[in-house]
Amino acid sequence: MRLLLLPLCAALAACTPFPELEGAQTPGVAEAPWPDLLPLGPLLAEAAPPRATPEQQEGLETRASALRARAAGLQGPVVDAQTRARMAAGVRDPF
């Protein structure tokens, strides 16, 4: 029964109509010229106006500091010294 269900689902998925992509273009896009490529340095040097409200900015700063604190907590060793010593004592050469 289960083996019959898999081909049936695949057949139903194959019957899905493919979306019409030609109608999705804005008129004139095919004839439009390619955009000019600009160097990245001057674009990054321009001062952009802030787009976040003070409340959003405060929330972002709080979240960023929490993520930094979490990252700092992950910088330590994965296995503490006591457990590492116990693991080393438990592994002995059989010969």
Side-chain angles (χ1 to χ4, degrees):
M1 180 67 182
R2 291 182 187 176
L3 293 176
L4 183 62
L5 191 59
L6 183 63
L8 180 63
C9 290
L12 287 175
C15 293
T16 303
F18 194 73
E20 191 64 40
L21 297 178
E22 294 298 322
Q25 287 185 354
T26 306
V29 168
E31 294 82 26
W34 287 94
D36 294 331
L37 296 178
L38 300 174
L40 190 58
L43 293 174
L44 293 176
E46 293 179 12
R51 296 188 295 176
T53 64
E55 294 83 18
Q56 290 173 333
Q57 186 69 26
E58 182 181 336
L60 288 173
E61 289 173 0
T62 303
R63 184 173 175 206
S65 64
L67 287 172
R68 284 187 196 99
R70 184 176 174 194
L74 294 172
Q75 294 299 316
V78 175
V79 179
D80 61 286
Q82 181 182 7
T83 304
R84 185 176 296 278
R86 191 184 60 169
M87 288 170 30
V91 178
R92 293 193 176 89
D93 190 14
F95 300 106

